[in-house]
Amino acid sequence: AIWQSPSQLPSKKYDYIIIGGGAGGSVLANRLSETSSVNVLLIEAGSSDYKNLNIEVPQYVGRLIRSQFDWNFTTVAQSGLNGRSILYERGHVLGGSTAVNFMAYCRGSKDDWNRFAKVTGDQGWSWNSILPYAKKMENFVGPIDGRDISNEVDWNSHGHTGPLRTSVPMYPISTDSRVLNTTSQLSSEFPFNLDYNGVSGNTLGVGWAQFSIANGERQSAALGYLDPILDRRNLDILVNTHVTQLIQTGTSSGKPVFRGVQFSQPGSSQVFKLTASQEVIVSAGAVKTPQLLMLSGIGDSTTLSKFGIKTIVNSPDVGKNLQDHPLVTSSFTVNSTNTLDNLNFDPTFAAQQLQLWQNGHTGQLGLPAANQIAWLRLPSSSGVLQGAQDPSAGPTSAHHEFIITDAYIGFTGQFPAGGNFLTFFTVVVSPASRGSITIQSTNPFDAPVIDAGFFTSEFDVQTMRESIKSMRRFTSAPAWKDWIISEYGDDFINAQTDAQIEAYARASAETINHASSTAAMGKTGSSGSGSGVLNSDLTVKGTVGLRVVDASAFPFIPAAHTQAPVYILAERAADLIKSVNPVY
Ligand SMILES: Cc1cc2nc3c(=O)[nH]c(=O)nc-3n(C[C@H](O)[C@H](O)[C@H](O)COP(=O)(O)OP(=O)(O)OC[C@H]3O[C@@H](n4cnc5c(N)ncnc54)[C@H](O)[C@@H]3O)c2cc1C
């Protein structure tokens, strides 16, 4: 059941207490409560309103920014972005960031996962080992229009019985044929890939995009993993409640045992404490997890002592190593009146589409932000790679990505009042830059200090530059001749030389919100700076009874949108947790 406040909680002895009901936490709440004798408590800071219309309707994703479903974070001034601070959206509702994200669904590449295995020394994280979990989490369904999708996806590469429904875009749109024709007209730079989530693990090329959208509706972790099991008597979900500290409950073989949690509701002075008989699992996401660890005495002792926090475990990597994907959007005006812009610029049309969606989830509101995505590597001859260490995981991982949108999208500058557009997101997906998360105070309700570190590595700004140039080659294919009128906006139009393009990137880059790696896995048992915060089974080094299961745990950010990698990680985590508890 879902409980709105701590005082409503039944008095029970919990085996597992999970902090945060996002991608990681929802998977665990489901899997760990599959055995009815095991009592599980999930504590979520946000509300239980995951069926809010703005969450359910895919095209309303833009309305979630700075809403009650967003933690409303902002980064510190970014030296690589001309000193700009940027919004750093994170989901604050049951379902976490999966309830506010853009829903792109990508497993990551074979090399991404094999690198996880290599740096942790744990073959269980290799591509071949995680594939069964990638299928277990998924229920890939056909699109709403029933069209033949054998040219859009490799059906057999997917799971069809898991909790999270995924699919290709519900309808074709007018730009589809142009994108696909480009893959034959410029096939050497932009080859077609039938399925970037295929079992081969080779993500490269241009393919039909896949999303956590089914039947025209967003599929969040809450909808897929929690909604169907709310009647389990051994699962309690407590919302509107903030875990403020992890509590040491004892010592075992000289190590601190962390089976206690302290929590309260914002604005209330009442403090609650509970203890798990088995484990406490932190799934608060890559921004809040390191903050909670630090407030609980797990972190870099120098930092902790500055705030008067007693160090219980000196873990220098906590909050370090933040990795994320910077994006730039560039738009073109197009020779059509039939683009998704009409949802933004024509109120009568928008109202009709809402009617259609409410009557049966049909119409354009169920469409995702893109029908196709491209995953691309810099050519090996590229000057960017000369003399630099290639940060990508290997030949199946992209350096950069295009997301191709049939409308105007922009996060900086002025939104146009009307018109018809084509927008490309260019995204650096194997970044060399690193940022950090730290605390500004000992108040758990204060936002952490977020430094995305964007473009602090020259490699990344040069990769973005090459991505924008590559996008201009893509759009100069004959396929776009009768569609694209011109580039839109002076900043984009005037960015022509390499130096100008880099300046354009620094002036306009934002985040695609893939924060990762702030409490990363390393080799089990190794210690000291650079060896990671977690053992390869996701237990927190130097502690007993405590794990982290969320995007913080990735040793490297995958060259992918990160929700599916978190689901996959959490599916394996559930098995790791079960394997050490004989009750399962
Ligand atoms: C705007 C946006 C767009 C994105 N687009 C995509 C996309 O298109 N495709 C994709 O694959 N990925 C996307 N992502 C990223 C993806 O959603 C995340 O990588 C993924 O959800 C991370 O899972 P997680 O479990 O680590 O954290 P989250 O899903 O963020 O869950 C963490 C949960 O913990 C809760 N919490 C935090 N602190 C506490 C506390 N102290 N006490 C209790 N609860 C707490 C939070 O409220 C939240 O519910 C996007 C993210 C955002 C924000």
Side-chain angles (χ1 to χ4, degrees), residues 428-511:
V428 174
V429 293
S430 291
S433 302
R434 298 289 181 264
S436 65
I437 302 285
T438 187
I439 50 176
Q440 57 166 311
S441 76
T442 53
N443 180 352
F445 292 100
D446 279 349
V449 180
I450 304 170
D451 179 1
F454 280 155
F455 294 158
T456 50
S457 159
E458 278 300 307
F459 183 92
D460 295 356
V461 74
Q462 291 175 11
T463 301
M464 180 61 85
R465 179 195 78 206
E466 292 308 310
S467 186
I468 292 167
K469 286 160 77 174
S470 175
M471 176 260 292
R472 279 183 164 138
R473 290 191 292 275
F474 190 94
T475 50
S476 63
W480 299 97
K481 275 251 158 4
D482 62 344
W483 190 258
I484 291 177
I485 299 170
S486 66
E487 294 183 354
Y488 177 77
D490 289 345
D491 295 343
F492 178 32
I493 292 169
N494 295 332
Q496 293 298 332
T497 66
D498 279 7
Q500 287 167 344
I501 299 171
E502 287 179 23
Y504 166 65
R506 289 192 192 278
S508 63
E510 298 284 321
T511 175

Side-chain angles (χ1 to χ4, degrees), residues 19-25 43-46 71 89-93 95-98 100-105 241-243 283-286 288 292 512-514 549-551 561-564 566:
I19 302 162
I43 305 178
E44 164 57 42
W71 280 86
E89 196 181 346
R90 295 278 94 199
H92 179 256
V93 60
S97 297
T98 71
V100 303
N101 70 15
F102 273 69
M103 299 158 281
Y105 166 74
T241 304
H242 198 121
V243 174
S283 300
K288 292 290 286 180
L292 185 59
I512 199 161
N513 302 294
H514 291 166
V549 180
D550 61 24
H561 298 244
T562 40
Q563 65 171 344
V566 178

Side-chain angles (χ1 to χ4, degrees), residues 180-194:
L180 298 171
N181 286 343
T182 306
T183 66
S184 48
Q185 290 165 356
L186 300 177
S187 58
S188 64
E189 186 170 3
F190 307 111
F192 180 70
N193 184 343
L194 175 66

